């Protein structure tokens, strides 16, 4: 992987001046992931309707310095897979030089990936298109008003998972999308955060180098929806990892590798929850049982990953 100085010299694929909120993890995810594109290749980007799309393409302006396609909420994977198939067909027909290198990448939030776009994503992965799908996971439908999605964590507040006498936030566990995509038998799946740039860029490089479909699931905090300061995005991302809430792992051709948290970095789950307004009710004495449920879920998922792993590496 190129060092940070070399990466900083590369042309920006996403220009500054877009209208995403201060501290938004989505733009960070885009910039870091596209740093993984080989320098001799052109990235072609498709983007589902969502925060990233509406804030970077406000007519008559756009912030993209690469070919860009806006898709409906549900079909980013379908559109990009179609473009990839057309490109390969034109190469076979001799209408595009065989040595022209293009990397096809689709971006979608968790609403457009875990939920509305899951069908087209699954189809693209199953058909084996040579593309990278990136989910910037901010844990809710942020663009339309912070409604819960299947990526919203258990116990989290959302406008459709309210906190009151009858309910204390979302009652269900979040969907394990990375495992679902890995079950498709694709060459590469990686999970990372915007707060671990070296890990994310490295995984992006592997995803773009894969011979076939690849998937990246990136924790991308939303200050507005998570009720955190715009300067806390990186801190919260790192706490998510250090508390085991968001494990870093990858699946390369069926081989699972979990990045363990060093003992000195391990922190209690409360350290991740406390700074976020969406979880403040969990720290009340009357919700001690629900908090313990969340802790148990985190430990159970960690054990599940350990059971899938054949090797590991230090963070």
């Amino acid at each position: 992987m190129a060092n940070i100085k070399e990466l900083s010299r590369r042309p920006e694929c996403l220009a500054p001046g877009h209208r995403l909120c201060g501290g938004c993890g989505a733009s960070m995810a885009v910039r870091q992931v596209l740093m993984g594109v080989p320098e001799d290749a052109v990235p072609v980007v498709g983007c589902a309707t969502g925060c990233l799309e509406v804030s970077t393409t406000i007519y008559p302006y756009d912030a993209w310095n690469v070919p860009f396609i806006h898709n409906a909420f549900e079909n980013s994977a379908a559109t990009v897979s179609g473009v990839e198939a057309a490109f390969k067909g034109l190469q076979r027909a001799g209408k595009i030089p065989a040595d022209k290198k293009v990397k096809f990448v689709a971006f979608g939030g968790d609403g457009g990936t875990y939920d509305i776009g899951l069908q087209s994503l699954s189809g693209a992965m199953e058909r084996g298109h040579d593309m990278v799908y990136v989910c910037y996971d901010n844990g809710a439908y942020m663009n339309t008003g912070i409604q819960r999605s299947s990526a919203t964590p258990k116990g989290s507040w959302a406008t459709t998972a309210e906190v009151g006498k009858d309910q204390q936030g979302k009652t269900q566990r979040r969907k394990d999308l990375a495992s679902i995509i890995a079950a498709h038998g694709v060459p590469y799946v990686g999970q990372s955060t915007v707060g671990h740039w070296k890990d994310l860029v490295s995984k992006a490089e592997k995803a773009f180098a894969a011979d076939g479909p690849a998937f990246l699931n990136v924790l991308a905090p939303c200050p507005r929806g998570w009720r955190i300061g715009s300067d806390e995005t990186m801190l919260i991302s790192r706490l998510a990892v250090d508390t085991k809430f968001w494990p870093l792992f990858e699946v390369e051709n069926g081989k699972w590798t979990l990045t363990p948290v060093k003992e000195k970095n391990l922190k209690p789950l409360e350290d991740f929850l406390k700074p976020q307004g969406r979880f403040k009710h969990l720290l009340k004495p009357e919700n001690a049982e629900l908090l313990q449920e969340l802790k148990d879920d985190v430990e159970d998922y960690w054990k599940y990953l350990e059971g899938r792993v054949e090797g590991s590496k230090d963070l």
Side-chain angles (χ1 to χ4, degrees), residues 43 93 107 181 183-184 198 211-212 215 217 219 224 230 250 275 306:
F107 288 97
I181 302 304
H184 286 66
K198 185 176 290 188
D211 184 16
F215 176 77
N217 202 25
L219 188 69
R224 185 170 178 269
S230 60
E250 59 188 349
E306 286 182 324

Side-chain angles (χ1 to χ4, degrees), residues 51 73 109-112 115 136-153 156-160 222 225-226 278:
C51 289
F73 214 146
D110 51 278
D115 298 339
Y136 61 95
D137 187 341
N138 53 33
Y141 289 82
M142 300 303 184
N143 179 53
T144 53
I146 320 177
Q147 296 89 357
R148 56 89 81 196
S149 76
S150 61
T152 304
S156 174
W157 165 86
T159 56
T160 51
C222 169
W226 292 23
R278 63 176 181 157

